[in-house]
Amino acid sequence: MANSHSPFHPIIYVRGYAMTPGEIDQTSADPFCGFNLGSTVYRAVAEKTRQPRKFVFESPVIRLASEFDYQDVYEDGYDILDPEWAANPDNRLGSRSIIIYRYYDEASRLLGIGSTPSLEVFASKLGELILKVRELVCANPKNAITKTDFRCYLVAHSMGGLVCRGLLQNPKLDPGGAAKLVDKVFTYATPHNGIDLLGINPPSWLSLSDISNFNRQRLATFLDLEAAYKLTERVDWLPEARFPSKRFFCMVGTNRMDYEAGLGLSRTFAGHGSDGLVRIDNATLGGVDARNKPTAPCAKAFTYRAHSGYFGIVNSEEAYQNLTRFLFGDVRVDIWAEVDAISLPKELRKAASQGQSVNALYQFEVLAAPRGKLWYLSRRTAEEDSVACLAHQHWLKAPQENGKLYLGSLFLADRARVNSRRKGLAYTLTFNVRVPDYEVERKLWVNQHFEGSYLFRNSLMLEITPPGADSDWQVSYAWQNQGVHSADRKLDGNLQKDGSLEIEVPFDSASEPGISGRLRFLVARWNHQD
């Protein structure tokens, strides 16, 4: 029997790294380990000198409770792992429960022994917690869920995402088979490829404050990538045989300036292109098959938020919307830019024809906003170091293969429609390609260069209506520069065997220098089979 509560499964929250004994104690003293934090400030532009805008976000816990009827599991001062909690026969878990994995309690001087266990212990005990949650949910007759049909979600911040991956990817850490009960995983600002400070990955012997947890060689062993897949240089791989990449979401922060940890030293050491601690290019995952061949990138979205704090990624509207749409949404849209042609300035074409080496780095900006909202589901701009990039010489070597750029995934929800009279789910996708800094023989070419200008710049309005009992996919679009304010041009796509729809929208700068290609969207029902 299928789980009738789907897609509303129990959520297990796994918090991030705490460095000092004081931070560990503070974590243990917090019932929700940070998942209860909200904020009233929102930085709309990438300038710290500009005054923030007031925007009230109550916290993920409160919003999940108020919008989706989720409940915490604390009762009479205890949680589900305390014998006193289990002793009460009336304590049973509902399907919509939020469980906090309090793995730092043992390391706390307040509740534990003051000694921090290893990542392996954290991952193994996460599996034990999942099995405990299954026991309590399935014992509740109101749920009518069998142990076979039980599923849960893992939601993790920072190092918590590595703890989740340890359980999912390393069979030695999961003797009870808890990994197969995990339906989806959502990570905030997780260093999936470790941490680099001043461009250096912490050495494996640096055990102070467990910094070695972020060493790639250490992670390769912990994640079973070294023994099973011979992967050690990068560890941001998710074996499809262990967990499907399409069920994993990476939320990436891009605001390093508002991360205040270590009196600001962390953001200095992490450098540009980070959230103040985790570098952007270390915060995502890709699927890999048994032959070590990349399969598909995990879903990802970007937001101008710091690693933590009141400008942090966990307590943000943008991350929360991605979280709930990924867990409970109706439509998934994966987006690629495919570059067909690039034209250089006339002088540079002449230089290239004479055998000189000409290169450039093209930066692709993407901003996606649902209709009627004041925030972005994903925000990638040059000023925030979060753009997708394509080097000219790299593209020339294999245009068809290297010209394909994965831009991210959007999840749309019918419940979030602003206009109930319109069946479609709509959003605006701003797509820009910056004019690059051209180089000739590795020397900067500045003739006719105008800083901040664009090869292509436009916004696409896309409206998607999922298929019904007697209708097929309906997709319409309009470019903003065409003088229309709603999507009114119908798109015919290629229907895939799995029922998803592949559609393409061409773009062309129609200028010199210029760029042309197409935006490719793979649109699929989400949670439909559930």
Side-chain angles (χ1 to χ4, degrees):
M1 182 179 67
N3 190 326
S4 61
H5 296 270
S6 189
F8 300 102
H9 305 303
I11 294 173
I12 298 177
Y13 175 66
V14 188
R15 70 148 289 133
Y17 170 66
M19 176 181 285
T20 66
E23 290 175 350
I24 292 174
D25 289 345
Q26 185 178 21
T27 296
S28 300
D30 185 337
F32 297 97
C33 298
F35 202 47
N36 55 314
L37 297 178
S39 178
T40 60
V41 292
Y42 171 69
R43 201 176 292 288
V45 295
E47 297 179 18
K48 195 171 182 180
T49 56
R50 294 276 294 273
Q51 183 175 358
R53 189 174 75 199
K54 183 178 180 180
F55 187 96
V56 177
F57 174 70
E58 303 96 318
S59 83
V61 169
I62 292 177
R63 289 287 289 276
L64 285 168
S66 63
E67 296 180 9
F68 298 98
D69 296 325
Y70 271 80
Q71 296 179 335
D72 67 65
V73 298
Y74 296 119
E75 188 72 30
D76 294 328
Y78 299 105
D79 66 17
I80 63 173
L81 294 181
D82 294 315
E84 292 85 353
W85 192 97
N88 185 346
D90 296 328
N91 284 344
R92 294 290 183 267
L93 291 188
S95 181
R96 303 194 192 196
S97 294
I98 297 175
I99 300 96
I100 307 300
Y101 178 30
R102 301 181 55 82
Y103 64 82
Y104 268 130
D105 281 7
E106 184 177 344
S108 167
R109 296 169 300 184
L110 301 174
L111 301 174
I113 60 175
S115 178
T116 306
S118 66
L119 277 178
E120 285 78 4
V121 172
F122 289 158
S124 295
K125 289 193 174 182
L126 173 60
E128 294 174 9
L129 176 61
I130 292 173
L131 296 175
K132 181 67 173 179
V133 171
R134 180 179 68 168
E135 175 188 332
L136 294 170
V137 168
C138 294
N140 187 346
K142 294 181 179 180
N143 294 327
I145 299 175
T146 67
K147 289 188 176 182
T148 302
D149 298 321
F150 172 84
R151 294 293 182 272
C152 67
Y153 298 132
L154 299 181
V155 177
H157 176 232
S158 192
M159 190 184 77
L162 298 176
V163 174
C164 295
R165 287 180 61 196
L167 173 72
L168 298 175
Q169 295 184 213
N170 193 337
K172 295 178 181 178
L173 305 179
D174 184 28
K180 67 179 183 293
L181 306 177
V182 178
D183 186 81
K184 300 187 188 88
V185 181
F186 185 98
T187 61
Y188 301 89
T190 289
H192 289 294
N193 192 46
I195 284 178
D196 291 289
L197 300 175
L198 295 177
I200 301 173
N201 186 227
S204 58
W205 49 262
L206 187 57
S207 59
L208 179 66
S209 299
D210 297 307
I211 294 295
S212 58
N213 284 343
F214 306 108
N215 170 264
R216 278 185 273 278
Q217 185 68 47
R218 161 85 171 95
L219 288 173
T221 302
F222 169 66
L223 299 170
D224 197 35
L225 289 173
E226 182 177 27
Y229 293 84
K230 311 303 179 187
L231 296 171
T232 57
E233 291 188 9
R234 293 193 68 91
V235 294
D236 46 357
W237 297 108
L238 181 65
E240 298 283 0
R242 303 280 172 78
F243 193 82
S245 59
K246 69 177 183 179
R247 313 291 286 184
F248 206 108
F249 192 108
C250 302
M251 194 74 210
V252 184
T254 63
N255 174 11
R256 75 182 184 96
M257 293 308 295
D258 281 313
Y259 188 56
E260 302 295 344
L263 300 177
L265 288 176
S266 175
R267 64 172 179 246
T268 301
F269 293 153
H272 291 282
S274 74
D275 62 8
L277 180 62
V278 179
R279 293 195 58 78
I280 293 171
D281 56 4
N282 286 338
T284 58
L285 271 178
V288 64
D289 63 19
R291 298 180 179 179
N292 289 354
K293 300 294 184 182
T295 53
C298 296
K300 63 181 179 181
F302 300 76
T303 181
Y304 189 63
R305 290 284 180 165
H307 190 76
S308 63
Y310 46 79
F311 285 110
I313 192 169
V314 174
N315 49 309
S316 69
E317 182 74 24
E318 304 95 321
Y320 171 78
Q321 290 293 337
N322 276 283
L323 169 68
T324 56
R325 290 161 189 259
F326 173 66
L327 297 184
F328 317 130
D330 304 294
V331 174
R332 173 177 182 149
V333 185
D334 295 302
I335 310 169
W336 286 264
E338 300 189 352
V339 178
D340 295 328
I342 298 175
S343 62
L344 296 169
K346 184 177 180 180
E347 293 180 48
L348 297 187
R349 290 206 310 272
K350 182 178 180 181
S353 66
Q354 294 174 347
Q356 293 181 287
S357 174
V358 176
N359 204 3
L361 187 67
Y362 302 97
Q363 300 180 87
F364 296 78
E365 298 181 327
V366 182
L367 298 95
R371 178 168 51 197
K373 305 300 181 183
L374 299 176
W375 35 261
Y376 294 107
L377 280 173
S378 192
R379 168 171 157 167
R380 308 183 66 175
T381 69
E383 287 78 11
E384 295 163 16
D385 302 310
S386 56
V387 290
C389 294
L390 176 64
H392 187 76
Q393 288 295 326
H394 182 65
W395 176 76
L396 285 176
K397 290 178 181 179
Q400 288 188 337
E401 180 180 352
N402 296 338
K404 297 178 180 179
L405 302 173
Y406 171 61
L407 302 179
S409 300
L410 301 177
F411 293 85
L412 307 178
D414 185 66
R415 63 176 173 77
R417 278 190 295 130
V418 176
N419 189 338
S420 60
R421 292 175 297 178
R422 300 182 68 129
K423 295 183 179 180
L425 305 173
Y427 67 91
T428 298
L429 183 78
T430 299
F431 177 68
N432 308 324
V433 185
R434 291 281 190 124
V435 169
D437 294 331
Y438 296 103
E439 294 182 352
V440 180
E441 295 295 327
R442 298 187 178 183
K443 294 181 180 179
L444 188 63
W445 182 82
V446 294
N447 295 352
Q448 302 302 317
H449 175 79
F450 295 92
E451 184 65 28
S453 54
Y454 294 84
L455 292 178
F456 181 87
R457 188 179 192 184
N458 211 338
S459 292
L460 179 73
M461 286 165 279
L462 200 68
E463 185 159 345
I464 301 168
T465 302
D470 55 354
S471 62
D472 298 325
W473 284 102
Q474 296 180 37
V475 181
S476 57
Y477 80 99
W479 285 108
Q480 193 174 47
N481 69 346
Q482 296 172 342
V484 295
H485 300 285
S486 62
D488 58 1
R489 298 176 62 181
K490 301 298 181 183
L491 268 174
D492 293 324
N494 296 318
L495 191 64
Q496 308 297 300
K497 292 182 179 180
D498 62 358
S500 61
L501 186 71
E502 186 180 58
I503 57 177
E504 295 180 350
V505 178
F507 65 87
D508 191 341
S509 58
S511 62
E512 186 181 285
I515 190 168
S516 63
R518 56 199 177 277
L519 291 173
R520 183 166 64 91
F521 302 86
L522 186 61
V523 184
R525 296 290 292 268
W526 190 243
N527 290 318
H528 181 56
Q529 296 301 321
D530 296 336

